[in-house]
Amino acid sequence: MTCFFSKGSFLVILLLAICLVSEAQQCRPSGRIRGKKPPPGQCNREDDSDCCKAGKMYPTYTCSPPMSDKTQAYLTLNSFEAGGDGGGPSECDGKYHNDNTPVVALSTGWYNGGSRCLNNIRINGNGRSVVAKVVDECDSTEGCDADHDYQPPCPNNIVDASKAVWKALGVSEDNWGGLDITWTDA
């Protein structure tokens, strides 16, 4: 049996296949959380961290954008020390980490249930590169509660980094807080 496709039907099939693949690669919100006003003194504002706003809806994610050789992400600043804005000890090892050590927390999808725990990643930004250890999750599925320091859920494309990472990338301290980067497993 011979099958014949016209050029038009072939193009339609090709376009449908491309749309299905691109749809599968997108990471869409998995839900929403309604913000609650933090009790007085319960949201740590160190490193300009956001506090949840009462009634505001925050998207949650169980996924992160697909990985590649140069995964695009947004670098944020976090303290991994006791009393810092990172909250409790790191999930990977149950310890706090000195901010002068290059460590990071990854959004939930990239953290992948801890599969990257204590592994190194290479971060490229500001024309430089640094290797950092994954020690925690930046939770994209929950937030606005005591366990999350009354901060909103983490966006799905975050590499939350210690001061040591920012220093190694040569970013001036007055510009710390947000930077477009790429990263990959090291």
Side-chain angles (χ1 to χ4, degrees), residues 134-146:
V134 176
V135 296
D136 209 349
E137 173 184 18
C138 191
D139 197 337
S140 304
T141 64
E142 297 183 35
C144 298
D145 57 16

Side-chain angles (χ1 to χ4, degrees), residues 35-175:
K36 301 173 212 151
K37 184 178 179 184
Q42 294 298 304
C43 181
N44 188 330
R45 299 277 306 154
E46 180 182 7
D47 299 327
D48 293 325
S49 294
D50 289 332
C51 295
C52 292
K53 293 180 177 57
K56 181 175 178 178
M57 298 303 290
Y58 295 95
T60 60
Y61 296 88
T62 56
C63 58
S64 289
M67 291 293 301
S68 70
D69 289 346
K70 293 182 179 179
T71 304
Q72 294 184 354
Y74 193 67
L75 189 71
T76 55
L77 178 61
N78 188 44
S79 174
F80 294 84
E81 294 182 348
D85 63 326
S90 298
E91 268 190 49
C92 291
D93 58 9
K95 299 177 182 177
Y96 292 100
H97 296 269
N98 188 297
D99 287 336
N100 293 318
T101 304
V103 294
V104 298
L106 298 176
S107 292
T108 296
W110 291 332
Y111 182 72
N112 195 22
S115 69
R116 286 194 166 85
C117 271
L118 306 180
N119 291 342
N120 290 329
I121 64 170
R122 177 168 302 283
I123 301 167
N124 301 297
N126 198 39
R128 294 191 182 180
S129 179
V130 62
V131 172
K133 184 182 290 189
V134 176
V135 296
D136 209 349
E137 173 184 18
C138 191
D139 197 337
S140 304
T141 64
E142 297 183 35
C144 298
D145 57 16
D147 287 346
H148 297 90
D149 206 20
Y150 292 96
Q151 295 175 12
C154 192
N156 68 345
N157 65 337
I158 298 297
V159 175
D160 207 12
S162 64
K163 293 175 183 178
V165 171
W166 286 88
K167 288 177 186 174
L169 292 176
V171 178
S172 63
E173 197 167 331
D174 56 330
N175 288 317

